[in-house]
Amino acid sequence: MTRRPPAAASAPATRPKKPHGGAGEVRIVGGQWKRTRLPVPDIVGLRPTPDRVRETLFNWLGQDLDGWQCLDAFAGTGALGFEAASRGAVAVVLCEQDSALIANLRTLRERLRADTVEVRRGDGVVALRQAAPGSLDLVLLDPPFGSALFAPALDAAAAAIRPEGYVYLEAPVAWTDEALAAHRLVPFRHLRAGAVHAHLLRRMP
């Protein structure tokens, strides 16, 4: 805008997200739009997921997301959601509230002709709560650090994903197994990249 899993990956040798915004760009790492550069607007608090972290995430997920239904609840630059669409996701909803970021996402969608991507202005947690239970293959959560959105977002994501689905979470601290269990989730993978903890979660059996 966290947990100690069974097997933790080593941190990528790249800097974490800029904590206080700053114009720049990131790139799509894989799929049909591989190497496409995405602009990063100069907005305070905007933290696009670094390229190497996204590369690790989609290595965990298996690269090919053909037919997946995804929702990026705090889309920001859209790096996570467009990465999913690039790798074959059949439907990707990007939720964002900032008007400048919404305009940026819509411009990107048109430039890429990303017909499988829907840009939706609004509250990402509300969008998750409105999703049909068990309907999503992947939920992407990168809430503003320091916000109170983590708990409600995790609760809503746990209800929205399929039994075999995934929740990706970025946070400033590592979430413990006990803390995740309170939201009916269990750790699957984890890495630390600087000040960022990246988690891949599954629904509790």
Side-chain angles (χ1 to χ4, degrees), residues 151-203:
L154 287 169
D155 283 338
I161 60 170
R162 305 183 195 279
E164 66 278 13
Y166 297 91
V167 176
Y168 171 71
L169 172 69
E170 283 189 32
V173 297
W175 280 62
T176 65
D177 292 6
E178 293 76 13
L180 290 168
H183 302 286
R184 296 171 295 139
L185 294 164
V186 294
F188 182 68
R189 294 286 188 271
H190 170 263
L191 70 79
R192 180 176 180 179
V196 172
H197 288 263
H199 310 72
L200 190 60
L201 311 174
R202 302 295 299 270
R203 217 166 84 175

Side-chain angles (χ1 to χ4, degrees), residues 15-204:
R15 295 184 63 184
K17 300 175 180 180
K18 297 178 182 179
H20 302 295
E25 61 184 18
V26 294
R27 64 186 176 87
I28 295 176
V29 178
Q32 64 174 318
W33 302 316
K34 184 176 181 179
R35 298 189 183 89
T36 298
R37 298 185 181 277
L38 308 181
V40 179
D42 190 2
I43 295 176
V44 172
L46 184 63
R47 299 172 297 95
T49 302
D51 298 349
R52 289 286 297 279
V53 174
R54 277 182 287 111
E55 182 176 20
T56 299
L57 168 62
F58 287 93
N59 285 339
W60 289 342
L61 292 171
Q63 302 293 336
D64 184 3
L65 273 57
D66 185 43
W68 285 33
Q69 305 266 346
C70 309
L71 190 148
D72 187 347
F74 307 94
T77 63
L80 287 167
F82 281 113
E83 190 80 52
S86 180
R87 295 168 186 263
V90 71
V92 179
V93 176
L94 304 180
C95 295
E96 179 55 56
Q97 292 185 308
D98 184 277
S99 58
L101 290 174
I102 285 288
N104 188 56
L105 292 170
R106 287 175 175 161
T107 297
L108 283 171
R109 182 186 181 279
E110 293 304 314
R111 175 161 68 90
L112 295 173
R113 297 179 181 177
D115 296 335
T116 61
V117 174
E118 175 191 349
V119 178
R120 186 181 299 176
R121 183 168 187 171
D123 187 317
V125 175
V126 171
L128 282 170
R129 289 171 176 164
Q130 291 174 342
S135 64
L136 299 175
D137 298 286
L138 175 64
V139 170
L140 301 159
L141 301 179
D142 186 8
F145 287 3
S147 74
L149 294 169
F150 287 88
L154 287 169
D155 283 338
I161 60 170
R162 305 183 195 279
E164 66 278 13
Y166 297 91
V167 176
Y168 171 71
L169 172 69
E170 283 189 32
V173 297
W175 280 62
T176 65
D177 292 6
E178 293 76 13
L180 290 168
H183 302 286
R184 296 171 295 139
L185 294 164
V186 294
F188 182 68
R189 294 286 188 271
H190 170 263
L191 70 79
R192 180 176 180 179
V196 172
H197 288 263
H199 310 72
L200 190 60
L201 311 174
R202 302 295 299 270
R203 217 166 84 175
M204 186 176 286

